[in-house]
């Protein structure tokens, strides 16, 4: 099975970053510009968290705050579940499922930030390797089973 390192190799270079002192309105504009659902938050060259659409809706809109008056640092997520480069897609799926997360922070062997794995990354991997994921015997059995001339 593929590893987190394999997934990160297929992703484009990181251009979706923002400073924690930026205003949320700037973050929203950048989300649109990069066409992604999250931004990596870096301070002084160090990864400190992630700002995503969910942060915006739950921590800003639903609380009646203004995107022009709120800094990214006030609403960003700082504690993502973590995985390593050697973890598998299955490990990532388990982490996301048990932690209710859509993003995983990836750290290298020497504990340096290496990137983010998203739920979309995992879905792409599952679809790309569907032959290995889905049991065709079961699918064929279900398709071959007729009941009263109708397929269920």
């Amino acid at each position: 099975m593929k590893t987190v390192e394999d997934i990160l190799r297929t992703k484009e270079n990181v251009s979706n970053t923002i400073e924690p002192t930026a205003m949320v309105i700037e973050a929203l504009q950048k989300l649109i510009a990069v066409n992604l659902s999250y931004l990596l938050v870096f301070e002084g060259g160090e990864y400190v968290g992630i700002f995503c659409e969910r942060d915006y809706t739950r921590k800003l809109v639903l609380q009646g705050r203004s995107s022009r008056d709120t800094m990214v640092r006030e609403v960003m997520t700082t504690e993502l579940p973590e995985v390593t480069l050697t973890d598998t897609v299955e490990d990532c799926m388990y982490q996301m499922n048990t932690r209710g997360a859509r993003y995983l922070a990836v750290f290298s062997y020497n504990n340096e930030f290496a990137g983010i794995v998203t739920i979309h990354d995992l879905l792409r991997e599952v679809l790309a390797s569907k032959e290995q994921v889905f049991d065709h015997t079961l699918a064929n059995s279900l398709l071959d089973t007729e009941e009263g001339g109708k397929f269920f």
Side-chain angles (χ1 to χ4, degrees):
M1 181 162 276
K2 289 202 175 181
T3 65
V4 169
E5 188 170 20
D6 296 327
I7 292 171
L8 290 182
R9 252 190 240 118
T10 66
K11 294 179 82 161
E12 293 182 21
N13 290 336
V14 175
S15 64
N16 56 322
T17 62
I18 197 156
E19 292 279 330
T21 54
M23 302 311 280
V24 170
I25 190 72
E26 295 172 58
L28 295 173
Q29 291 165 342
K30 188 147 191 182
L31 283 175
I32 292 168
V34 297
N35 196 29
L36 291 171
S37 62
Y38 69 97
L39 299 173
L40 300 172
V41 184
F42 280 89
E43 186 168 39
E46 295 288 320
Y47 165 81
V48 293
I50 186 173
F51 173 79
C52 64
E53 294 167 336
R54 203 177 233 194
D55 293 326
Y56 173 70
T57 57
R58 292 181 178 191
K59 299 175 187 174
L60 198 118
V61 173
L62 292 177
Q63 293 181 8
R65 299 169 84 174
S66 167
S67 58
R68 295 188 188 286
D69 301 327
T70 306
M71 284 192 284
V72 169
R73 113 172 336 120
E74 297 173 55
V75 294
M76 69 185 196
T77 298
T78 57
E79 294 184 22
L80 288 179
E82 297 177 7
V83 293
T84 65
L85 294 170
T86 56
D87 285 324
T88 64
V89 170
E90 187 175 1
D91 295 329
C92 292
M93 292 170 75
Y94 176 79
Q95 282 290 331
M96 283 187 180
N97 188 44
T98 58
R99 303 282 300 276
R102 294 177 183 211
Y103 307 96
L104 301 172
V106 181
F107 289 89
S108 67
Y109 311 107
N110 52 356
N111 209 30
E112 288 182 24
F113 179 76
I116 295 287
V117 170
T118 71
I119 193 166
H120 294 104
D121 295 331
L122 298 181
L123 288 173
R124 274 191 291 278
E125 184 56 40
V126 168
L127 290 173
S129 58
K130 64 182 176 285
E131 301 299 322
Q132 298 166 356
V133 174
F134 298 108
D135 182 354
H136 289 287
T137 307
L138 176 59
N140 289 333
S141 172
L142 290 171
L143 290 172
D144 291 340
T145 304
E146 258 187 82
E147 190 168 317
K150 297 179 182 175
F151 290 99
F152 292 94

